[in-house]
Amino acid sequence: MSNTKSNPPAAEREARDELDRENARELGAAGSRLSTAPSEESSAGLPAMGVIGWVRWFWRQLTSMRVALILLFLLSLGAIPGSLIPQNSVDEMKVETFKKAHTTVSPIYEKLQFFDVYSSVWFSAIYILLFVSLIGCIVPRTGQFVGQLRSRPPGAPKRLTRLPAYTTWRTGAEPEQVREAALAMMRKRRYRAHTAGDAVAAEKGYLREAGNLVFHIALIVMLVAFAFGQLFKSEGGKLVVEGDGFSNTLTQYDDFKSGSLFDADSLAPFSFKLDKFTGTYERSGPQRGTPRTYEAHVTYEKGAYGKPQKSVIRVNEPLVIDGTKVYLNAHGYAPVVSVKDGRGKEVYRSPVPLLPIDNNVTSTGAIKVFDGYRDKNGKKTQLGFQAFFVPTFAGNGKGTMFSQFPAADMPVLALNGYQGYLGPDSGLAQNVYQLDKSKMTEFKDAEGKQLKQRLLVGETMKLPDGAGSITFEGIQEWASFQISEQPASGWALTGAVAAIAGLAGSLFIQRRRVWVRAVRGADGVTVVEMAGLGRSESAKLPEELADLAVALIESAPPRADAGPGAEPDSSPEPDSDSVEESSEEPAEGAEK
């Protein structure tokens, strides 16, 4: 029983191999490959698996399309943790917050380099292997394609009936006339055609292979552009209050990150000043409070002696200066406060940017007076105020201090104060929005409770024991900008567009060959045969062959006395020794 199950497959494989060899003999060069894809080699043709053999095997596997697709998939898969997990290259504070919140998985993520995905060893290995694979695949295929462009379409096979699309008829025109008409017709339809013996050979659809190569070259361009951009990029943030400015130097940034090969001297020389920020919001309806307009009106200058120019920066509409893009990133309010010491001397006046904590721009922050303050006894000390700001106050007795609307319709500033040491020279970095109260004493009111007060614009909070006062003078707005320079971004975009165009060409263009044979039959009548061969099985090839036959009939009309067979027959003629085999297997060269 086991023999009856194993023998038929072996016999079938032997029959198929014999059919392939017979087709190769029949079609010859006409059935040669219609693509530049590397052919699979049998194990009999491989070298002995020594060192050289293993190297060759590894190289063939690496440069195969299958492995390239696997590597591309792994690269996409590897980018997932880079998108979901905070990255040190983007925001180290978020990484630290994540580690504190996820103490179990954080050590595992660190070992797997999930906090530095794009600079990790495993991501770099996938990236480099994909790069090598694409180059190793493209170089030989490009050479083959150039060779195909320089060569002529192969001559017609001996038996055109073996091809998947075939038609024939008899005509009274001379064979030479038929071939000349067929050659002119093919060239008119943009086929590469020439006369080879008793037939006209034509080929079309080279853009399919060109599109395939363009797609792979575009992938390499994108990979190179991405790598170059990561190595030489620079990105930083800057918060600017209305009336203040920014100069593109390293010391001006609030935070700054760059690629490993970035040079600070390469920063584009420019500066800008925030003249005014304009924000409008939906006043009614279900989208009440939704921003409608975010505009930062700036005056910028190129270089040290550039002419001042006006511009408006909007969301997703950056200001571009010498390849550097200035994006509008965020917006908030900066209450203007003034502080007087115990002797009535003004020691501090400045807008204080506060950090929004909700969509209605309820904001919090800290006011710090480091220098110049003296208490009523003339002793130097420092002041700190915890600030809570709402642009639109709900009103006394409403039960909430959160803003009701993002616009500054009824601004209120709530303060509570401290005195002591703020720690500016402790050597530790401080968050400008937080107040270190570890070495400070809280102000108390007459009842011994925490001193706190809500202030409208123009109102003043008196500090106890003659310690001075703080006044809410007014409101200014601030805007946060992201200044980024991403080299080779244009190349990356070009590569992406070229990849899409190349992929479309390789998917929708079919490469095919057509032959027209015209010979004189035994009875002296000219017999015309037309056949086509495509890279893959397609219903369009017989349709195209039928259109070509109809066009050729105008120059080589069927004989009126030729009988029923005078009309073109688009199906292959019966052939006693080949019809059964050709029904099971397409002609060689018609790749699946």
Side-chain angles (χ1 to χ4, degrees):
M1 182 178 293
S2 60
N3 289 338
T4 58
K5 289 184 178 180
S6 60
N7 287 339
E12 182 179 350
R13 287 195 299 270
E14 184 177 352
R16 287 181 181 274
D17 292 342
E18 180 62 28
L19 178 61
D20 290 341
R21 288 192 291 270
E22 182 179 349
N23 284 337
R25 288 193 299 270
E26 290 288 343
L27 298 178
S32 61
R33 298 175 60 80
L34 288 171
S35 75
T36 58
S39 59
E40 297 289 339
E41 295 186 6
S42 63
S43 58
L46 293 175
M49 295 303 287
V51 176
I52 298 178
W54 278 108
V55 171
R56 291 182 62 186
W57 177 87
F58 177 79
W59 178 252
R60 286 173 180 169
Q61 296 300 316
L62 180 61
T63 57
S64 65
M65 187 57 60
R66 178 177 61 255
V67 172
L69 291 174
I70 292 174
L71 290 172
L72 191 60
F73 172 74
L74 290 177
L75 194 70
S76 304
L77 197 64
I80 294 177
S83 303
L84 301 179
I85 301 173
Q87 299 294 296
N88 283 317
S89 60
V90 177
D91 194 331
E92 294 181 358
M93 296 296 294
K94 286 187 177 180
V95 173
E96 293 300 323
T97 304
F98 183 91
K99 289 180 179 180
K100 292 178 181 178
H102 304 83
T103 55
T104 303
V105 298
S106 292
I108 300 175
Y109 285 178
E110 282 187 310
K111 291 181 179 179
L112 296 175
Q113 297 180 299
F114 278 179
F115 296 116
D116 299 279
V117 167
Y118 302 110
S119 59
S120 63
V121 174
W122 55 269
F123 191 86
S124 301
I126 297 173
Y127 192 91
I128 294 172
L129 286 175
L130 177 60
F131 191 81
V132 174
S133 177
L134 289 173
I135 293 178
C137 180
I138 288 172
V139 170
R141 293 184 68 163
T142 302
Q144 293 180 31
F145 182 61
V146 172
Q148 291 175 1
L149 289 177
R150 297 178 63 182
S151 62
R152 288 185 168 188
K158 183 178 179 181
R159 297 162 65 183
L160 293 178
T161 54
R162 284 187 173 273
L163 299 182
Y166 174 83
T167 185
T168 183
W169 71 93
R170 292 153 59 87
T171 181
E174 294 296 322
E176 294 79 4
Q177 295 176 348
V178 176
R179 290 194 289 269
E180 289 177 3
L183 182 63
M185 176 193 66
M186 292 295 184
R187 289 178 174 173
K188 183 178 180 181
R189 299 196 175 206
R190 294 182 296 180
Y191 280 81
R192 294 179 63 211
H194 71 109
T195 302
D198 59 358
V200 173
E203 190 167 1
K204 193 177 184 180
Y206 285 90
L207 285 179
R208 180 188 182 98
E209 285 304 310
N212 197 3
L213 292 174
V214 166
F215 172 73
H216 290 87
I217 293 173
L219 286 182
I220 292 181
V221 171
M222 291 173 63
L223 289 174
V224 172
F226 176 77
F228 188 86
Q230 290 297 312
L231 291 173
F232 292 93
K233 73 174 183 179
S234 67
E235 183 177 277
K238 179 63 178 179
L239 186 148
V240 183
V241 180
E242 288 178 330
D244 292 343
F246 167 80
S247 179
N248 193 29
T249 58
L250 206 56
T251 57
Q252 288 279 299
Y253 285 91
D254 295 332
D255 59 85
F256 185 83
K257 297 184 181 299
S258 62
S260 57
L261 298 181
F262 173 78
D263 183 5
D265 294 334
S266 64
L267 287 172
F270 69 88
S271 62
F272 67 86
K273 176 184 176 183
L274 178 61
D275 300 323
K276 182 181 66 172
F277 183 88
T278 302
T280 60
Y281 309 89
E282 186 67 36
R283 287 284 176 179
S284 60
Q287 294 186 340
R288 183 177 184 273
T290 302
R292 293 305 181 198
T293 302
Y294 268 1
E295 295 180 345
H297 299 260
V298 299
T299 301
Y300 69 94
E301 301 175 6
K302 294 182 180 180
Y305 306 102
K307 181 180 178 181
Q309 302 178 63
K310 298 286 187 179
S311 182
V312 179
I313 305 175
R314 300 180 179 88
V315 178
N316 296 326
E317 295 182 20
L319 171 65
V320 182
I321 306 174
D322 293 338
T324 300
K325 294 183 178 180
V326 182
Y327 292 91
L328 178 60
N329 215 24
H331 155 258
Y333 292 98
V336 180
V337 297
S338 64
V339 177
K340 294 181 180 180
D341 63 10
R343 298 173 298 175
K345 178 183 177 182
E346 185 175 274
V347 295
Y348 181 89
R349 177 184 284 266
S350 177
V352 182
L354 301 181
L355 187 66
I357 59 175
D358 63 17
N359 292 333
N360 287 326
V361 204
T362 302
S363 306
T364 183
I367 302 170
K368 302 178 183 181
V369 182
F370 293 105
D371 301 315
Y373 175 79
R374 295 176 183 268
D375 60 15
K376 64 178 181 179
N377 299 321
K379 181 181 177 181
K380 288 185 177 181
T381 186
Q382 295 173 348
L383 295 180
F385 298 89
Q386 197 72 49
F388 196 85
F389 175 78
V390 290
T392 301
F393 183 49
N396 293 325
K398 298 295 183 179
T400 180
M401 182 56 188
F402 285 88
S403 178
Q404 305 302 300
F405 195 72
D409 294 341
M410 187 180 179
V412 171
L413 178 64
L415 298 171
N416 58 290
Y418 300 82
Q419 65 177 347
Y421 177 64
L422 292 169
D425 52 356
S426 62
L428 299 176
Q430 292 191 4
N431 190 323
V432 295
Y433 301 106
Q434 295 178 355
L435 195 64
D436 183 4
K437 308 168 189 173
S438 59
K439 296 182 179 181
M440 303 198 76
T441 303
E442 187 177 50
F443 284 114
K444 303 290 185 177
D445 60 15
E447 300 177 359
K449 297 180 180 180
Q450 181 188 44
L451 178 66
K452 54 184 179 180
Q453 185 176 338
R454 293 173 180 169
L455 303 177
L456 296 173
V457 175
E459 292 185 343
T460 299
M461 182 175 78
K462 295 287 186 179
L463 301 179
D465 300 327
S469 64
I470 180 169
T471 303
F472 183 16
E473 302 285 356
I475 302 172
Q476 290 183 226
E477 299 188 54
W478 60 260
S480 177
F481 298 94
Q482 177 180 305
I483 300 95
S484 63
E485 183 179 2
Q486 188 78 28
S489 57
W491 283 101
L493 177 60
T494 302
V497 173
I500 295 174
L503 184 62
S506 64
L507 290 176
F508 298 110
I509 298 176
Q510 183 187 19
R511 189 173 173 190
R512 60 272 193 202
R513 291 170 180 164
V514 176
W515 293 274
V516 180
R517 174 175 284 145
V519 296
R520 197 177 301 279
D523 56 356
V525 179
T526 300
V527 178
V528 181
E529 290 182 291
M530 294 185 68
L533 178 66
R535 176 179 172 180
S536 57
E537 298 176 0
S538 173
K540 292 184 178 180
L541 182 61
E543 295 176 3
E544 185 173 8
L545 188 70
D547 291 339
L548 293 173
V550 170
L552 186 58
I553 282 176
E554 296 180 2
S555 301
R559 283 175 56 96
D561 58 349
E567 293 298 325
D569 182 10
S570 59
S571 60
E573 290 182 349
D575 189 4
S576 59
D577 61 351
S578 66
V579 115
E580 182 179 353
E581 296 172 345
S582 62
S583 65
E584 295 178 356
E585 285 291 323
E588 181 175 335
E591 299 175 20
K592 295 182 180 179

